[in-house]
């Protein structure tokens, strides 16, 4: 329930905390590390205000003060900060009748030794009353800061939802008034369920499905509504994750306040891409008063992690603020031999250049190394599972993968007259991965013999993404509307190169495999390289137009210019060629939202998106761009001032020119790979979700999704009506919930999670491999030792369900992967 961020007037900035020196020193060191790439402009994100609550009717009984304050904050629709204030054992006389926010809080706090300060714009601070002989009256302890962006930031709110988001349209809309299906994974949900990576967050997000079939478990491709996501966004700036770039865009959740997810086409803000959806990770921002979060984790398979997150004002006025966070993790795996080491550093500096202009600059560095690269297990020749132990490792112990991800970013925001705002943001990413591993292939006619070969690859990407937008209110025809105009630029330079080739292949019996028996010894090899350069520019505009009191029209469009150069695969000298050019490609967006009452809305929306392809046909020509149309209709509910959100939607997506393997001209396992345009595919289904706090102390987030994606037109008649990908589930169910206990058990917080999916399979002639439907249950329990210290235990896969999270292929001697067995993680968390 606590909220913390930037200091608000009219409070006087507090004296600097002792932690300030440490934060300053850490920032100096970390920013020096990123100085080489810090030539970007110094820019920052300013805050947006939320509307304060008015006089309301309350019926809060006498009793526990913590529970009463939680009930009041939800009912009043305000942000109440209690961090750093001890509430254990305190009681309240309760609150009955009609009250304003401040008066109501004062009544609840009678006899507690606490008082409330109004920070304005719906933000309130709880602090201890302290008698001072120096002033002969009441003095307050240093204030815990609250954020002007509290309607969007989730850190400190204790909620599993957010009031508003801008990922879908660029407009700052509530979830109820966004005419697409949206989800938020909040900071509190990440902490309660130890969601430390983007993979973890995707597993918890309704409607999102991840496939992990790369050369390490850290490589995941994300899918929504039957299509792979083309981008992962950071602060609204899209980073490409197609082709090999999925290996180079990684994310430690330590850096992020929340993750906003849109399902369906998002071409208005992202430009070219798939009609699947958008993942948008929103960075944490500095605070003007002391913040220190530290944690120590220890768990199954020697999993150890240490994190620290510190923030404070860096001058007396609080106009300059800094934040630094770092994480170090070392763990083994349930698979033999495999070990992982991951390190993250994040730093951001923010300054108020003028009363209306805020600038910021920051950087992050993520490094990971996997020793013992596991590329999966084989199936029997007919596709049945071998049911090997889940710890089985059939690759070489000398194998490894290194991943580095370096980001420098900056932003500048200015509050203009009459509620208008200008924001410019830019991000530069330099990411690479290097892998040396062995792969196994099936030996024809044999059950337990595999042929193993050595290989190694390097992948690199450098991406620059920039965006400028101007937004604000206008009054037309006597009604107020919100509009946004903007321009964006993205450049992507990616390449791949073979870096290792074994001297020879070997055949082994998997029943007697020793991963340490054959050290990897490379030999001269013929270089094999690939390159791609992409430039994308766009201009866009959108508006939230009030047509009548209950009716809104969200209307927008984007003109995009797209150019892509590729080399194809080459041995020595690249032969660059222009594979695709699109000029002034128009992407429309339209949505209608009708308010049924003050809590419920119905909506309908339609949008389009296109996605260039670098895949070649048998004649060496690039396939035409994919084109997608997204239609959606649904109902949404918002309760308790945005503390609880619910939605239900029906959707239909059509996509043309989908690339599929050309088995006639380029059969699998042949000398070359080529593809063909598959005609038209269609995805349709249902999306239901609920998130937030239905009762004081109870948080819940989850949803159910049904997706049927199939061919509707194809040159191969037998494909029409068939599913696009049978190895993706049609049904997903996800539920995460926690409850704060009451009375004598008020120090305890208990929770559970359930993720479930239906059957998946893969067929190929006489080959059929399957995984039946399954559900994975998790439990969590937190004990508050003090207001600052909490002990938490998380147990994943409590029932130790044995299942396959990835299926094999008929031609492969690997790629099948088990899901993780039961695991236990214990963490000790400190918050200043």
């Amino acid at each position: 329930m606590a909220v913390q961020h930037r200091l608000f007037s009219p409070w006087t900035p507090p004296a600097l905390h002792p932690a300030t020196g440490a934060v300053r020193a850490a920032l100096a060191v970390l920013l020096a590390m990123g100085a080489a790439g810090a030539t970007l402009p110094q820019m920052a994100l300013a805050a947006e205000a939320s509307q304060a609550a008015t006089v309301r009717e309350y019926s809060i009984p006498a009793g526990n003060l913590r529970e009463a304050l939680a009930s009041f904050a939800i009912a009043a629709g305000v942000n109440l900060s209690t961090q750093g204030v001890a509430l254990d054992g305190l009681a309240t006389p309760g609150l009955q009748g009609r009250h304003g926010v401040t008066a109501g809080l004062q009544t609840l706090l009678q006899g507690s030794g606490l008082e409330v300060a109004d920070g304005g714009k719906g933000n309130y601070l709880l602090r201890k009353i302290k008698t001072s002989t120096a002033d002969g009256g009441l003095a307050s302890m240093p204030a815990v800061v609250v954020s002007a962006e509290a309607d969007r930031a989730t850190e400190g709110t204790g909620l599993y939802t957010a009031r508003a988001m801008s990922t879908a349209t660029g407009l700052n809309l509530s979830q109820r008034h966004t005419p697409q299906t949206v989800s938020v994974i909040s900071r509190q949900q990440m902490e309660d369920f130890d969601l430390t990576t983007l993979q973890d967050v995707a597993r918890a997000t309704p409607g999102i499905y991840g496939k992990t079939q790369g050369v390490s478990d850290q490589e995941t491709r994300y899918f929504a509504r039957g299509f792979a996501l083309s981008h992962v966004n950071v602060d609204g700036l899209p980073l490409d994750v197609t082709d090999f770039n999925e290996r180079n865009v990684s994310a430690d959740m330590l850096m992020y306040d929340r993750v906003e997810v849109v399902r369906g086409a998002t071409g208005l803000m992202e430009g070219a891409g798939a009609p699947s959806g958008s993942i948008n990770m929103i960075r944490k921002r500095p605070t003007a008063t002391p913040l220190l979060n530290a944690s120590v984790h220890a768990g199954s398979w020697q999993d150890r992690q240490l994190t620290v997150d510190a923030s404070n004002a860096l001058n007396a006025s609080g106009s300059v603020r800094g934040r630094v966070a770092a994480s170090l993790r070392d763990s083994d795996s349930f698979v033999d031999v495999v070990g992982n080491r991951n390190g993250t550093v994040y730093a951001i500096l923010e300054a108020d250049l003028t009363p209306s202009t805020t600038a910021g600059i920051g950087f992050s560095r993520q490094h990971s190394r996997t020793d013992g690269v596991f590329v999966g297990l084989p199936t029997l020749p007919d596709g049945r599972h071998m049911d090997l132990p889940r710890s089985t490792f059939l690759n070489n112990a000398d194998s490894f993968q290194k991943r580095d991800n370096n980001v420098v970013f900056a932003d500048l925001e200015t509050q203009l007259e009459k509620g208008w705002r200008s924001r410019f943001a830019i991000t530069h990413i330099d990411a690479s991965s290097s892998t040396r591993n062995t792969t196994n292939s099936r030996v024809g006619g044999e059950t337990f013999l595999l042929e193993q070969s050595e290989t190694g690859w390097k992948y690199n990407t450098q991406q620059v993404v920039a965006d400028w937008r101007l937004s604000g209110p206008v009054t037309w025809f006597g009604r107020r509307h919100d509009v946004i105009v903007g321009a964006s630029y993205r450049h992507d330079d990616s390449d791949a190169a073979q870096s290792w080739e074994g001297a020879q292949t070997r055949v082994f019996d998997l029943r007697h495999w020793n991963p340490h028996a054959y050290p990897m010894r490379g030999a001269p090899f013929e270089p094999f390289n690939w390159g791609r350069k992409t430039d994308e520019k766009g201009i866009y505009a959108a508006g939230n137009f009030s047509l009548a009191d209950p009716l809104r029209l969200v209307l927008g469009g984007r003109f995009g210019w797209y150019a892509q150069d590729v080399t194809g695969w080459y041995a020595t000298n690249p032969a660059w060629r222009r594979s695709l050019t699109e000029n002034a490609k128009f992407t429309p967006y339209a949505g209608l939202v009708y308010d049924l009452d003050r809590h419920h809305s119905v909506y309908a929306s339609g949008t389009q998106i296109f996605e260039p392809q670098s895949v070649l046909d048998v004649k060496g020509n690039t396939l035409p761009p994919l084109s997608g149309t997204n239609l959606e209709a649904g109902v949404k509910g918002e309760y308790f001032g945005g503390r609880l959100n619910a939605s239900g939607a029906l959707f239909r997506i059509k996509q043309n020119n989908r690339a599929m393997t050309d088995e006639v001209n380029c059969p699998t396992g042949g000398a070359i790979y080529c593809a063909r345009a598959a005609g038209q595919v269609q995805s349709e289904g249902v999306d239901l979700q609920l998130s937030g706090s239905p009762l004081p102390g109870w948080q819940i987030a989850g949803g159910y999704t049904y997706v049927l994606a199939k061919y509707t037109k194809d040159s191969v008649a037998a494909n029409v009506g068939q599913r696009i990908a049978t190895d993706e589930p049609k049904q997903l169910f996800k539920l995460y919930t926690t409850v704060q206990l009451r009375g004598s058990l008020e120090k305890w917080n208990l929770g559970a999670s359930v993720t479930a999916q239906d059957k998946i399979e893969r067929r190929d002639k006489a080959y059929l491999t399957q995984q039946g439907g399954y559900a994975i249950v998790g439990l969590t329990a937190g004990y508050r030792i003090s207001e600052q210290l909490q002990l938490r235990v998380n147990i994943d896969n409590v029932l130790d369900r044995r299942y396959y999270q990835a299926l094999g292929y008929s031609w492969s001697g690997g790629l099948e992967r088990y899901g993780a067995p039961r695991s236990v993680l214990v963490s000790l968390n400190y918050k200043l």
Side-chain angles (χ1 to χ4, degrees):
M1 205 168 75
V3 178
Q4 55 198 9
H5 274 302
R6 185 170 305 145
L7 190 64
F8 247 68
S9 60
W11 293 328
T12 302
L16 294 186
H17 190 271
T20 303
V23 175
R24 280 177 169 169
L27 280 168
V29 172
L30 294 171
L31 290 173
M33 292 168 59
T39 58
L40 301 175
Q42 298 186 11
M43 311 161 211
L45 177 65
E48 281 190 19
S50 60
Q51 187 174 2
T54 57
V55 175
R56 295 187 181 183
E57 185 79 24
Y58 298 96
S59 180
I60 300 177
N64 183 279
L65 178 60
R66 182 189 299 278
E67 296 174 5
L69 290 173
S71 298
F72 182 88
I74 291 173
V78 298
N79 299 289
L80 177 63
S81 171
T82 64
Q83 186 161 337
V85 178
L87 297 176
D88 291 341
L90 296 182
T92 177
L95 182 67
Q96 304 293 328
R98 293 180 60 80
H99 300 272
V101 175
T102 302
L105 286 170
Q106 289 172 345
T107 301
L108 288 172
L109 295 173
Q110 287 179 7
S112 67
L114 302 174
E115 64 177 359
V116 64
D118 183 354
K121 304 183 186 296
N123 299 291
Y124 294 84
L125 167 73
L126 213 63
R127 56 192 184 188
K128 186 176 180 181
I129 299 174
K130 174 179 165 184
T131 302
S132 171
T133 57
D135 60 18
L138 296 178
S140 297
M141 297 179 67
V144 178
V145 287
V146 295
S147 173
E149 200 184 23
D151 60 337
R152 287 191 290 176
T154 66
E155 186 178 27
T157 66
L159 295 174
Y160 284 11
T161 190
R163 287 184 179 178
M165 59 189 299
S166 59
T167 299
T169 64
L171 299 161
N172 188 34
L173 301 175
S174 68
Q175 293 192 43
R176 181 162 71 97
H177 290 134
T178 300
Q180 281 183 272
T181 302
V182 295
S183 301
V184 176
I185 303 297
S186 70
R187 183 74 245 164
Q188 188 65 52
Q189 187 177 351
M190 293 184 210
E191 293 177 357
D192 287 347
F193 290 95
D194 197 54
L195 309 179
T196 59
T197 68
L198 183 56
Q199 290 174 313
D200 296 334
V201 168
R203 279 192 290 267
T205 304
I208 299 294
Y209 179 71
K211 288 184 183 180
T212 303
Q213 286 192 312
V215 296
S216 82
D217 286 336
Q218 297 190 38
E219 297 178 8
T220 299
R221 193 85 186 269
Y222 302 105
F223 292 77
R225 298 187 172 178
F227 304 93
L229 271 66
S230 303
H231 304 97
V232 169
N233 294 258
V234 180
D235 283 349
L237 301 184
L239 301 176
D240 181 89
V241 292
T242 60
D243 293 324
F244 305 114
N245 285 345
E246 68 179 281
R247 298 178 174 173
N248 291 336
V249 177
S250 55
D252 187 330
M253 288 298 108
L254 173 69
M255 301 183 287
Y256 301 106
D257 169 80
R258 65 195 180 279
V259 178
E260 299 179 353
V261 178
V262 181
R263 295 191 286 290
T266 54
L268 176 64
M269 300 307 298
E270 287 190 351
S276 49
S278 176
I279 292 176
N280 187 17
M281 301 179 294
I282 310 299
R283 293 186 182 99
K284 294 176 179 177
R285 306 298 294 195
T287 65
T289 56
L291 177 148
L292 177 61
N293 298 331
S295 64
V296 179
H297 296 194
S300 301
W301 312 305
Q302 302 295 315
D303 187 0
R304 294 157 292 177
Q305 184 174 16
L306 175 65
T307 66
V308 62
D309 179 7
S311 183
N312 206 352
L314 301 181
N315 62 357
S317 68
S319 63
V320 180
R321 302 166 293 278
R323 186 164 191 164
V324 60
S327 171
L328 182 63
R329 186 171 190 173
D330 191 335
S331 67
D332 293 337
S333 168
F334 69 91
V335 178
D336 291 341
V337 180
V338 178
N340 298 289
R341 296 193 302 275
N342 301 279
T344 298
V345 174
Y346 168 66
I348 178 172
L349 188 66
E350 191 175 74
D352 299 328
L353 303 182
T354 71
S356 61
T357 301
T358 302
I361 186 170
F363 81 94
S364 64
R365 173 174 172 78
Q366 298 175 78
H367 172 79
S368 66
R369 180 182 175 101
T370 297
D371 289 306
V373 173
F374 172 66
V375 294
L377 301 172
T379 64
L380 292 169
D382 61 1
R384 287 176 298 147
H385 304 299
M386 287 189 173
D387 292 327
L388 298 167
R390 285 180 284 188
S391 60
T392 303
F393 180 87
L394 296 178
N395 301 97
N396 194 283
D398 284 354
S399 58
F400 69 87
Q401 182 184 64
K402 294 189 296 183
R403 293 155 55 102
D404 289 287
N405 185 285
N406 301 298
V407 178
V408 181
F409 63 92
D411 46 47
L412 178 70
E413 186 162 313
T414 302
Q415 299 288 343
L416 305 173
E417 295 181 354
K418 298 181 179 180
W420 281 77
R421 181 179 65 173
S422 171
R423 179 180 183 266
F424 176 79
I426 187 168
T427 289
H428 177 271
I429 177 174
D430 185 353
S432 63
S433 65
S434 176
T435 304
R436 187 181 70 187
N437 64 283
T438 52
T439 59
N440 301 325
S441 302
R442 192 181 304 282
V443 176
E446 298 290 341
T447 300
F448 299 107
L449 295 184
L450 297 175
E451 183 177 71
Q452 186 175 86
S453 59
E454 299 176 8
T455 188
W457 292 89
K458 292 182 179 180
Y459 303 100
N460 303 280
T461 183
Q462 290 192 354
Q463 300 186 41
V464 177
V465 188
D467 179 88
W468 170 82
R469 60 187 65 174
L470 180 67
S471 60
V474 296
T475 301
W476 292 337
F477 306 106
R479 306 191 70 87
R480 185 184 186 276
H481 319 277
D482 294 308
V483 298
I484 182 173
V485 294
S488 64
Y489 170 76
R490 182 176 67 86
H491 173 76
D492 169 18
D493 188 348
S494 303
D495 62 78
Q498 188 177 22
S499 61
W500 183 276
E501 185 67 27
Q504 61 183 4
T505 59
R506 50 182 168 263
V507 175
F508 69 92
D509 189 321
L510 65 85
R511 294 169 295 185
H512 308 293
W513 171 245
N514 177 2
H516 301 275
Y518 299 97
M520 296 181 67
R521 306 186 187 280
F525 62 93
E526 186 71 20
F528 206 37
N529 306 290
W530 171 89
R532 185 188 68 183
K533 295 180 180 179
T534 303
D535 284 287
E536 184 176 8
K537 308 176 186 70
I539 56 174
Y540 58 87
N544 179 24
F545 302 103
S546 175
L547 304 183
D549 287 343
L551 183 63
R552 291 175 172 85
L553 170 65
V554 180
L555 188 66
R558 179 187 187 96
F559 285 98
W561 289 260
Y562 193 100
Q564 185 178 84
D565 296 330
V566 297
T567 63
W569 290 103
Y570 66 93
T572 52
N573 298 317
W576 286 95
R577 67 172 182 172
R578 176 61 52 88
S579 65
L580 183 68
T581 301
E582 292 285 346
N583 291 314
K585 183 75 173 181
F586 182 64
T587 300
Y589 185 100
L592 277 174
V593 181
Y594 183 84
D595 289 337
L596 299 174
D597 54 39
R598 61 190 297 261
H599 295 297
H600 302 93
S601 302
V602 292
Y603 71 93
S605 65
T607 185
Q608 294 178 348
I609 195 169
F610 81 100
E611 182 176 20
Q613 302 185 88
S614 58
V615 182
L616 305 179
D617 63 16
V618 68
K619 296 180 180 180
N621 299 317
T622 303
L623 295 185
L626 296 162
S627 61
T629 301
N630 184 95
L631 301 176
E632 181 173 330
V635 58
K636 292 189 177 186
E638 180 184 81
Y639 315 96
F640 311 119
R643 260 55 179 180
L644 180 67
N645 287 278
S647 68
L650 301 174
F651 61 86
R652 172 175 289 175
I653 299 171
K654 289 187 177 181
Q655 188 187 60
N656 296 307
N657 303 325
R658 184 182 177 99
M660 299 296 292
T661 300
D662 188 346
E663 293 287 356
V664 175
N665 297 296
C666 308
T668 300
I672 62 172
Y673 171 82
C674 67
R676 59 186 176 85
Q680 185 183 83
V681 297
Q682 178 176 288
S683 170
E684 55 188 4
V686 179
D687 209 326
L688 308 173
Q689 67 175 8
L690 178 71
S691 63
S693 179
L695 293 172
W698 180 18
Q699 300 297 326
I700 186 169
Y704 167 80
T705 308
Y706 173 84
V707 177
L708 178 59
K710 60 185 180 181
Y711 298 99
T712 54
K713 295 180 182 178
D714 195 89
S715 58
V716 179
N719 284 340
V720 176
Q722 299 298 311
R723 291 176 59 194
I724 297 171
T726 57
D727 61 342
E728 298 170 22
K730 290 188 293 185
Q731 300 182 79
L732 286 173
F733 175 79
K734 303 181 181 184
L735 180 66
Y736 288 70
T737 184
T738 57
V739 176
Q740 182 69 50
L741 301 185
R742 301 183 179 187
S744 61
L745 299 176
E746 67 174 2
K747 292 180 179 292
W748 286 93
N749 179 279
L750 304 180
S753 66
V754 179
T755 59
Q757 67 177 59
D758 64 346
K759 181 181 71 173
I760 57 176
E761 65 181 28
R762 185 174 287 126
R763 295 175 181 267
D764 185 5
K765 298 179 182 178
Y767 183 87
L768 173 62
T769 185
Q770 296 178 316
Q771 168 60 60
Y774 62 88
I776 304 301
V777 178
L779 296 176
T780 180
Y783 179 76
R784 195 173 62 254
I785 299 172
S786 68
E787 286 294 326
Q788 290 77 35
L789 197 62
Q790 183 188 57
L791 181 68
R792 180 168 290 279
V793 178
N794 291 81
I795 307 176
D796 287 334
N797 197 358
V798 171
L799 304 178
D800 201 24
R801 180 71 160 85
R802 185 185 178 100
Y803 66 100
Y804 294 92
Q805 66 172 349
L807 299 177
Y809 292 82
S810 60
W811 48 266
S812 174
L815 298 181
E816 181 167 86
R817 276 184 163 88
Y818 282 110
R822 180 191 300 118
S823 63
V824 179
L825 182 73
V826 179
S827 59
L828 186 64
N829 306 287
Y830 174 84
K831 291 188 177 183
L832 180 65

